[in-house]
């Protein structure tokens, strides 16, 4: 005796709509943009953590400079802490909490992620070309008297 089975139809959602890189980089879905933020913020967290490890290693030498301290502070504050909750949770949860289908301006939302990535790339370039030694706050006297770069 043969049994008839219904073919399973997979519902399309934000994860399986399309798997191409182009579909992720040009998306206007707030949930996908939140995932892009989550991945890039997590990457910046690991960069900041590596800088924190290098701060500890730098303390082994008697004449330490302020560059790793600056890099760690800049990355962790401006590229992890400040954007983490509003960008990730705000993009993902707030539209669903208020019952909206998407954000009001989805292309501006995607443009904000591109601006975040542009700033992160510039910061990584600064790290690779020598860094800054002003301290993460850029306050005087670190940013004027003790700065060599």
């Amino acid at each position: 005796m043969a049994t008839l089975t219904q073919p399973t139809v997979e519902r399309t959602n934000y994860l399986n709509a399309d798997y191409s890189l182009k579909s992720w980089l040009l998306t206007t879905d707030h949930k996908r943009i939140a995932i892009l933020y989550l991945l890039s913020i997590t990457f910046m967290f690991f960069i900041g953590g590596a800088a924190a490890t290098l701060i500890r290693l730098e303390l082994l030498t008697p004449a330490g400079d302020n560059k790793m301290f600056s890099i760690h502070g800049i990355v962790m504050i401006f590229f992890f802490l400040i954007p983490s909750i509003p960008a990730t949770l705000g993009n993902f949860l707030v539209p669903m909490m208020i019952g909206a289908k998407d954000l009001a301006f989805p292309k501006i939302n995607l443009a904000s992620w591109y601006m975040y990535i542009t700033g992160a790339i510039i910061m990584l370039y600064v790290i690779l070309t020598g860094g800054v030694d002003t301290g993460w706050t850029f306050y005087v006297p670190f940013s004027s008297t003790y700065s060599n770069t």
Side-chain angles (χ1 to χ4, degrees):
M1 176 171 176
T3 60
L4 296 174
T5 60
Q6 293 286 349
T8 59
V9 177
E10 187 175 334
R11 290 180 49 198
T12 302
N13 60 21
Y14 66 97
L15 292 174
N16 65 3
D18 190 8
Y19 296 109
S20 70
L21 182 64
K22 181 181 177 183
S23 72
W24 278 89
L25 294 178
L26 298 177
T27 186
T28 55
D29 185 9
H30 66 95
K31 294 181 279 303
R32 280 189 163 204
I33 295 172
I35 291 172
L36 290 173
Y37 266 115
L38 179 67
L39 294 174
S40 55
I41 287 170
T42 303
F43 176 73
M44 294 309 286
F45 176 76
F46 286 119
I47 297 291
T53 304
L54 291 175
I55 290 171
R56 303 310 293 171
L57 289 175
E58 190 176 19
L59 292 175
L60 293 172
T61 61
D65 58 9
N66 200 22
K67 288 185 181 181
M68 276 302 130
F69 173 72
S70 300
I71 290 169
H72 168 72
I74 291 167
V75 169
M76 292 303 275
I77 297 297
F78 297 113
F79 293 103
F80 172 71
L81 187 64
I82 291 174
S84 61
I85 292 182
T88 304
L89 294 177
N91 270 328
F92 199 88
L93 294 177
V94 170
M96 292 189 294
M97 290 171 70
I98 63 173
K101 184 179 181 208
D102 205 348
L103 293 171
F105 300 106
K107 290 182 182 179
I108 294 176
N109 189 20
L110 181 63
S112 72
W113 180 75
Y114 277 112
M115 290 191 307
Y116 173 82
I117 291 297
T118 302
I121 289 170
I122 292 170
M123 184 61 212
L124 291 175
Y125 174 75
V126 168
I127 291 170
L128 294 175
T129 58
V132 295
D133 59 352
T134 59
W136 70 271
T137 57
F138 298 99
Y139 290 158
V140 176
F142 282 135
S143 64
S144 61
T145 305
Y146 303 112
S147 179
N148 294 323
T149 56

